Amino acid sequence: MDFHKFFLHGTYVLLDVNSGAVHAVDKLVYDIMDIFRGDNDEEVLEQLRTVYSGEELIEAMAELRGLMAQGQLFSSAPEVSPAMFQQEPVVKALCLHVAHDCNLRCHYCFAGTGDFGHDRSLMTPEVGERAVDFILAHSGARRHCEIDFFGGEPLMNMDTVRHVVKYIRQKEALTGKVFKLTLTTNAVLLNPETIQYLNENAISLVLSLDGRRDVHDQMRPNANGRGSWDTAVKNIRAVTASRTDPAYDPRGTYFYVRGTYTARNLDFAEDVLAMADLGFAQLSVEPVVGKDCDYELREEHLPELFRQYELLAKAYLERKRAGNGFDFFHFNVDLDHGPCLPKRLSGCGAGHEYFAVTPQGDLYPCHQFVGREGYRLGSVFTGVENHVLPETFRNTHVLNKPACRECWARFFCSGGCHANAQLVHGTITEPYQIGCELQKKRLECALLVQTELSKDTSQ
Amino acid sequence: MEKAKHIRTVNTAKLQKTIKTGGCGECQTSCQSACKTSCTVGNQACQK
């Protein structure tokens, strides 16, 4: 039976997996759901009659049957035809590695402190132009194209960023396409001139900060070994202030302050709250992915990490209700207007809708695969040359992965991160289990948050 | 219909129906958003 139920912070929540319907239920219904299968009322009555009255049980089961009639409980699995995956894929997004170099030496950097295991290098304006041409040539009828300026540290190569943005605006005028631009930065090199440029050019920002000063500085030192927290916070304050100024026209842009937590700060909820206390209201933190290192997250850390997500959900609701709330990316599950099923199956699109481009113009399935042997797919000069891997990525969705097919979270997580799976298991078909467990806990907290917030608005 | 006493439905999603209504592909690429290490497709909004 495709449902999931959980109890958290005094609330009983029931999710119908196939429809995505969420219900707040009482303890009676929660207990009934251990037994109820839609047509076994006698069995429910027999097992629970000593706890609840027959009248209550019959009443609750009638309500459950009402949900079944509405397709909101025990709903049938979606009928996914192979045709959904046979259409010609379109390229939606590129991650441009404009700098394989970085001014920081973060210990957990999957990019090998910026160089991705190779020489430190910068993308030339010409490679940037060819990358734009590549997405234009392969985005089909899709109107929106996305480019993320990434690194290393992209602010180390602002000349190319500026050149590519100018080229994109010219191409937008010629093609009618709309580019959404993002820049992911450690914020250390932000200055008033760059901030003004990024604001004027409608570039969304993902700003890296790990929370408390000591936590951040321990993992994110400058090349000289000194911590980067002071500078990062000063600059993030400057850019977020400029973007919350009433005079700023957001034009569809967003900014997020995002961090990474590791085994060294298992109490990461404190880091999220520390960033909220700094006045940053758009927040996200992610679990580190590491292998054979002292900061990697291990199975024995899970109970504490689960507790931290629960603490975070509680604090999130308390602060929202007190009028000093913040947004936490992973709790923003849109239950009513979320993505369609085709999107939930295509997931992140790595390797078929989404590619990373190295400074030399090489194409990889995503930024995390850059430099991993066997995953180079082609280049912006020659196009995609490996035609096997993109199909493999495309077909490695939740309905084809044994571990995902039966998981209640499959339509929210879309099978998790391929790069993490490959790093840990050497294959993208077997999900990274610790990531899955954290994802499920985060989702429970998100569903609780949305359930509670909907109660507030309905009262 | 009598008001439910034991259940409050938070949303009335019917994900299966979006096979027919969805798939326009205009939505944001998941990992391009706030997270660069873990994608949660479910917390994106439909662009339609």
Side-chain angles (χ1 to χ4, degrees):
Chain A
M1 288 287 185
D2 267 342
F3 72 90
H4 177 67
K5 67 181 182 111
F6 62 91
F7 174 68
L8 184 55
H9 296 324
T11 298
Y12 297 92
V13 180
L14 175 63
L15 165 74
D16 182 51
V17 172
N18 287 318
S19 68
V22 178
H23 313 283
V25 301
D26 60 10
K27 173 116 181 15
L28 166 68
V29 169
Y30 191 80
D31 288 344
I32 287 175
M33 287 305 294
D34 283 332
I35 309 157
F36 188 64
R37 296 293 174 263
D39 57 0
N40 59 339
D41 297 24
E42 283 307 317
E43 196 182 341
V44 173
L45 287 165
E46 192 180 314
Q47 290 191 34
L48 291 178
R49 190 164 276 164
T50 54
V51 189
Y52 301 105
S53 74
E55 195 182 335
E56 280 180 309
L57 290 165
I58 289 166
E59 187 179 69
M61 284 190 282
E63 286 185 29
L64 286 170
R65 243 186 295 281
L67 297 185
M68 288 167 61
Q70 298 289 319
Q72 295 171 344
L73 181 66
F74 303 149
S75 65
S76 53
E79 287 177 27
V80 180
S81 71
M84 242 174 79
F85 301 100
Q86 282 171 1
Q87 293 157 3
E88 195 62 30
V90 295
V91 179
K92 294 168 67 165
L94 293 181
C95 182
L96 289 198
H97 292 223
V98 292
H100 271 190
D101 198 356
C102 190
N103 50 324
L104 299 190
R105 294 292 181 268
C106 304
H107 298 303
Y108 48 50
C109 185
F110 64 82
T113 69
D115 62 8
F116 285 82
H118 298 279
D119 293 337
R120 296 184 182 273
S121 55
L122 300 180
M123 180 181 282
T124 62
E126 194 212 347
V127 170
E129 282 191 14
R130 293 296 79 76
V132 175
D133 293 342
F134 173 80
I135 193 170
L136 284 170
H138 296 92
S139 55
R142 187 177 199 254
R143 186 161 174 255
H144 293 106
C145 297
E146 298 159 48
I147 285 189
D148 184 27
F149 295 106
F150 199 70
E153 173 49 50
L155 297 186
M156 292 181 81
N157 193 9
M158 277 306 289
D159 287 347
T160 291
V161 171
R162 287 170 191 265
H163 183 95
V164 171
V165 171
K166 197 173 168 189
Y167 187 71
I168 284 169
R169 298 305 177 214
Q170 289 166 357
K171 291 291 179 183
E172 279 180 327
L174 289 171
T175 61
K177 298 268 185 188
V178 177
F179 276 74
K180 292 182 177 175
L181 306 178
T182 311
L183 186 138
T184 301
T185 176
N186 60 41
V188 169
L189 297 174
L190 279 174
N191 57 36
E193 185 205 353
T194 308
I195 289 171
Q196 188 182 350
Y197 172 81
L198 296 168
N199 290 354
E200 286 175 356
N201 286 277
I203 298 176
S204 296
L205 292 171
V206 178
L207 304 147
S208 298
L209 187 72
D210 280 358
R212 292 165 292 182
R213 183 202 301 260
D214 58 331
V215 169
H216 178 102
D217 280 347
Q218 189 185 43
M219 289 304 271
R220 301 181 66 81
N222 284 287
N224 65 12
R226 279 207 290 269
S228 60
W229 189 91
D230 283 326
T231 316
V233 167
K234 176 172 77 73
N235 293 344
I236 293 172
R237 275 199 170 121
V239 72
T240 54
S242 74
R243 290 196 174 200
T244 47
D245 188 296
Y248 176 68
D249 176 6
R251 287 179 289 164
T253 61
Y254 60 86
F255 59 88
Y256 260 90
V257 179
R258 59 88 66 213
T260 300
Y261 68 79
T262 74
R264 294 182 189 169
N265 61 318
L266 293 174
D267 59 344
F268 70 87
E270 288 297 323
D271 291 291
V272 179
L273 298 178
M275 293 194 281
D277 290 340
L278 287 166
F280 306 140
Q282 310 290 327
L283 302 171
S284 179
V285 297
E286 311 298 331
V288 75
V289 177
K291 203 178 170 187
D292 306 324
C293 50
D294 66 349
Y295 57 79
E296 75 181 291
L297 298 172
R298 295 189 299 272
E299 206 174 330
E300 63 261 34
H301 296 142
L302 287 175
E304 177 56 19
L305 295 173
F306 292 169
R307 198 177 75 87
Q308 291 294 317
Y309 279 115
E310 292 177 4
L311 286 171
L312 189 57
K314 192 162 181 273
Y316 180 95
L317 284 167
E318 282 170 359
R319 290 191 183 206
K320 276 254 188 253
R321 285 167 172 159
N324 64 340
F326 60 91
D327 275 333
F328 182 65
F329 181 75
H330 292 290
F331 291 168
N332 293 344
V333 172
D334 189 337
L335 295 177
D336 283 312
H337 305 102
C340 59
L341 199 74
K343 167 67 180 175
R344 290 172 194 250
L345 291 176
S346 64
C348 68
H352 55 106
E353 291 181 340
Y354 169 52
F355 295 92
V357 184
T358 69
Q360 292 71 34
D362 290 336
L363 295 168
Y364 282 85
C366 82
H367 52 289
Q368 296 227 31
F369 276 102
V370 166
R372 292 193 198 173
E373 204 179 325
Y375 284 92
R376 182 186 172 277
L377 301 176
S379 88
V380 294
F381 299 102
T382 58
V384 174
E385 296 160 301
N386 182 332
H387 297 289
V388 176
L389 269 180
E391 273 307 295
T392 305
F393 273 87
R394 201 178 185 203
N395 289 315
T396 308
H397 56 71
V398 289
L399 301 181
N400 282 342
K401 286 198 269 188
C404 302
R405 243 186 334 246
E406 304 299 320
C407 176
W408 66 266
R410 62 186 175 274
F411 295 131
F412 289 95
C413 78
S414 295
C417 173
H418 294 312
N420 294 353
Q422 195 276 334
L423 180 75
V424 175
H425 297 298
T427 170
I428 64 170
T429 57
E430 193 182 336
Y432 165 52
Q433 198 55 37
I434 289 177
C436 291
E437 295 308 316
L438 293 172
Q439 173 72 278
K440 284 189 275 188
K441 175 48 86 173
R442 265 191 331 231
L443 271 171
E444 285 189 348
C445 290
L447 294 177
L448 171 82
V449 160
Q450 298 306 326
T451 299
E452 287 295 297
L453 292 178
S454 75
K455 186 169 76 185
D456 294 351
T457 52
S458 68
Q459 276 172 355
Chain B
M1 189 178 154
E2 248 182 78
K3 195 173 180 328
K5 279 162 65 178
H6 305 279
I7 302 169
R8 179 175 64 84
T9 294
V10 176
N11 67 333
T12 53
K14 294 222 172 103
L15 200 48
Q16 304 99 322
K17 283 194 172 174
T18 65
I19 291 179
K20 291 196 176 113
T21 59
C24 73
E26 290 292 341
C27 48
Q28 192 180 27
T29 306
S30 325
C31 204
Q32 287 291 90
S33 48
C35 57
K36 275 284 185 184
T37 48
S38 63
C39 80
T40 306
V41 173
N43 61 3
Q44 293 207 314
C46 178
Q47 297 293 306
K48 270 193 173 176

